[in-house]
Amino acid sequence: MSPDWRGRVDADGGRRWQQVIQAPTAQSQVVFVGFPSDEGVRRNQGRPGAAAGPAHLRRAMSNLPEADLALADAGDTTVTGDLERDLIAHAAELSRWVRPDRLVVGLGGGHEISEASLAFWREFAPNGHVLNLDAHLDMREEKSPTSGTSFRTHLETGGKNLHAFGISRAANTQPLFNLAVQHGVPIVLDTEMDPWHWPEQKEKLAALLDQSQHVYLSLCLDVLEASTAPGVSAPAGRGLNVAVVDDFVRTVAQSGKCRLFDVAELNPSLDIDERTARVAARLIWTMVSEHPFA
């Protein structure tokens, strides 16, 4: 088990995730898989450091209170620095663990984790829904994969049912919006996800989930306000309120449809007071604790 699972032990017998996490078995209901890569961020001209994200996410999750669930950690996909090869390896790792009665949580790492997750997803659930909760469309045109190309790759290789939430008009060029329109990708802007707009958007999200059988949720932490999530490659100039993001995750979790949930872009070297790691751990806790398991 990773040494990053460590924290307090309470005298009253109350237990925490670091005390109950196990190696995966057939009975595991939640499996964590890390992808300690930021090569895609470097290629995307961002600020490197997210390769240390999985370790810090585990530390941030360690003191979460015990859930009545079988939690497991499959460790990290071995990363070599050859991003194309590493993406193939992570997709193969996901194929070992994702199944309809289990929740797999991918721990990033840069948002290039979605290149691997989507490659796996197109095989696992070709008609499944993909939700990208992010300030960026990540549909850049590049010669090789980066942290900003995964959803373009998905669309251009026949991927379906992509929905983008929290997108910032100030952080995406017009050709990216044009590509999304060309492929029929519904976009909900950050300005449409303020707390006073959220109830309406939540109804639409719930209706979408009702139509779904399998859901992959990709959460890029730079969708949050920079004061909440400073430890990312590209802090938000505006961003979403954490209560809205938390309720978005809760809504997806309560549907029981989420099979894969990635949390990307935690950069510990830029994380003031571990704010980003703490909020990421809280969002993972919401997903795990609100997901109904048979």
Side-chain angles (χ1 to χ4, degrees):
M1 191 56 56
S2 169
D4 297 309
W5 291 103
R6 61 182 187 272
R8 65 179 294 159
V9 176
D10 295 331
D12 61 10
R15 299 202 300 173
R16 301 174 183 273
W17 281 16
Q18 58 94 6
Q19 294 170 277
V20 301
I21 197 82
Q22 301 288 334
T25 68
Q27 287 70 46
S28 299
Q29 294 165 295
V30 179
V31 176
F32 299 103
V33 186
F35 188 58
S37 167
D38 57 14
E39 171 61 17
V41 174
R42 186 192 65 77
R43 293 183 184 184
N44 201 33
Q45 302 177 45
R47 301 185 295 176
H56 280 253
L57 278 169
R58 290 184 177 95
R59 290 190 62 182
M61 293 188 292
S62 289
N63 281 329
L64 293 171
E66 179 184 16
D68 187 22
L69 293 170
L71 304 179
D73 185 7
D76 290 340
T77 298
T78 300
V79 169
T80 66
D82 180 339
L83 182 57
E84 287 77 3
R85 178 178 296 179
D86 295 341
L87 293 170
I88 293 170
H90 190 64
E93 190 68 18
L94 293 176
S95 71
R96 296 182 60 194
W97 306 117
V98 178
R99 66 188 197 192
D101 60 346
R102 174 184 286 159
L103 171 66
V104 171
V105 180
L107 308 176
H111 210 178
E112 62 261 37
I113 191 174
S114 284
E115 286 274 1
S117 293
L118 287 164
F120 160 77
W121 191 256
R122 288 189 292 274
E123 297 294 325
F124 172 78
N127 295 311
H129 284 76
V130 177
L131 312 183
N132 180 30
L133 184 54
D134 192 350
H136 306 95
L137 286 165
D138 285 348
M139 295 181 184
R140 294 182 184 274
E141 183 176 7
E142 301 288 353
K143 294 180 180 178
S144 58
T146 77
S147 61
T149 60
S150 59
F151 296 99
R152 187 185 194 107
T153 302
H154 180 66
L155 294 173
E156 292 184 342
T157 54
K160 302 176 183 177
N161 297 329
L162 171 60
H163 299 258
F165 296 87
I167 301 299
S168 169
R169 281 206 174 274
N172 298 271
T173 60
Q174 192 58 46
L176 301 181
F177 283 103
N178 294 345
L179 182 69
V181 171
Q182 175 188 334
H183 285 275
V185 177
I187 294 174
V188 180
L189 298 173
D190 54 0
T191 54
E192 299 174 288
M193 293 185 68
D194 290 318
W196 49 92
H197 293 309
W198 172 236
E200 178 184 354
Q201 295 300 336
K202 182 175 179 177
E203 287 186 9
K204 294 178 181 179
L205 174 61
L208 170 63
L209 293 168
D210 283 344
Q211 302 169 16
S212 307
Q213 182 179 9
H214 303 298
V215 171
Y216 162 43
L217 172 57
S218 174
L219 168 62
C220 186
L221 293 166
D222 67 22
V223 78
L224 290 154
E225 296 168 344
S227 59
T228 301
V232 294
S233 174
R238 186 181 191 279
L240 300 184
N241 182 280
V242 66
V244 170
V245 174
D246 187 56
D247 201 40
F248 186 105
V249 172
R250 179 178 296 103
T251 302
V252 175
Q254 290 177 343
S255 75
K257 309 289 183 67
C258 192
R259 313 298 173 222
L260 178 59
F261 174 43
D262 286 344
V263 179
E265 296 286 353
L266 171 61
N267 185 334
S269 68
L270 302 171
D271 197 12
I272 302 168
D273 295 332
E274 300 184 347
R275 293 178 200 171
T276 316
R278 292 175 186 274
V279 74
R282 172 56 189 260
L283 294 171
I284 292 170
W285 181 84
T286 294
M287 174 62 79
V288 170
S289 63
E290 296 284 349
H291 192 293
F293 293 92

